[in-house]
Amino acid sequence: MAKKGQNRQTVTLTPLPLAPPLPARTPGAKKPARKPLSWDLQSLSKAYEQGYLAGTMGMVRDSCPYLGAVVAAAWEGGWEDGLIERSRGAVVHGSVV
């Protein structure tokens, strides 16, 4: 067994190189085109309505057919509202009373 303070090794740390600087933007250069959104107000509304109907029918949350995060969130919001209406007993044959 070594005594305290023996067998210590010296470690030398070397700094990592910095990332290269970003290229300077030339005056008058256009900004890169933005990627178009994969959703619009109409698709969010449709997803909400479909989620609402799913909630009123008592379907499970995992039955959401959407993969996009924003559209899936709209569906889930409708689904939650539909479940609330269902729990109140306010839904009869798919229509709110």
Side-chain angles (χ1 to χ4, degrees):
M1 184 175 219
K3 292 183 180 180
K4 191 173 184 177
Q6 290 181 346
N7 294 335
R8 291 189 180 215
Q9 295 178 349
T10 303
V11 177
T12 304
L13 299 176
T14 56
L16 295 174
L18 297 176
L22 294 174
R25 224 170 133 199
T26 57
K30 292 183 179 180
K31 289 184 178 180
R34 291 181 121 193
K35 183 179 175 185
L37 298 174
S38 60
W39 53 268
D40 58 12
L41 187 57
Q42 186 176 6
S43 64
L44 294 180
S45 180
K46 181 180 176 181
Y48 177 88
E49 290 174 16
Q50 289 178 344
Y52 181 84
L53 290 174
T56 60
M57 293 187 310
M59 294 175 70
V60 294
R61 182 185 305 234
D62 293 340
S63 61
C64 176
Y66 298 102
L67 299 177
V70 176
V71 183
W75 184 92
E76 188 174 308
W79 176 81
E80 288 175 348
D81 290 347
L83 279 183
I84 291 169
E85 291 299 317
R86 179 182 173 92
S87 68
R88 288 184 190 166
V91 179
V92 178
H93 302 292
S95 61
V96 179
V97 193

